[in-house]
Amino acid sequence: MSRAIDADAAPKKAGPYSHAVRSGNLVFCSGQGPFDPATGAIPERFEDQVRQTLRNLATVAEAAGGSLAHAIRVGVYLRDMANFPALNEVYAEFFPEPRPARTTVQSNLRIEVEIDAVLELPEA
């Protein structure tokens, strides 16, 4: 049985979906973007956009009872693949070894970056 998780401290959802869904010990976190949860503003620098996106994803993970350290798979969506090296630098700040599996694809988003994740939480 699965249950929806909404993270009050995360940015407002852009549509009819849950911030995350927990099924057993797996948590499927919806994609997060670079929006400041308090103001909706997006940082100017790409690196700061990635940091804000990962902070938002961490907020969703925490609302589900976990953290980014529980991530087993991450999906990254970039508007411009030229930002891939900068993404990797910031990404490494947030994910300790062993790092989760990851896919990075180019996307025609209106934002520069979106990141989702699957977490595996300890048995309750």
Side-chain angles (χ1 to χ4, degrees):
M1 178 180 236
S2 62
R3 67 177 174 92
I5 296 163
D6 286 316
D8 293 335
K12 183 180 176 190
K13 295 176 286 188
Y17 57 86
S18 300
H19 279 122
V21 172
R22 183 169 181 165
S23 181
N25 65 333
L26 295 178
V27 177
F28 300 85
C29 300
S30 293
Q32 295 297 304
F35 305 100
D36 180 293
T39 66
I42 296 175
E44 287 187 34
R45 292 182 57 239
F46 177 76
E47 293 85 351
D48 294 332
Q49 290 183 32
V50 174
R51 283 185 186 93
Q52 184 62 58
T53 299
L54 289 168
R55 283 192 295 265
N56 292 341
L57 189 61
T59 297
V60 172
E62 289 164 12
S67 71
L68 293 182
H70 293 107
I72 57 173
R73 191 223 172 259
V74 174
V76 178
Y77 308 88
L78 294 178
R79 186 174 176 93
D80 184 351
M81 289 303 284
N83 287 323
F84 188 74
L87 163 75
N88 280 334
E89 278 190 37
V90 176
Y91 183 91
E93 297 171 13
F94 284 80
F95 291 98
E97 294 284 351
R99 293 192 172 97
R102 185 180 92 186
T103 301
T104 304
V105 297
Q106 187 169 7
S107 178
N108 191 20
L109 295 168
R110 65 178 182 86
I111 54 178
E112 293 298 320
V113 61
E114 182 173 329
I115 303 175
D116 64 26
V118 176
L119 314 177
E120 182 178 31
L121 303 182
E123 296 293 330

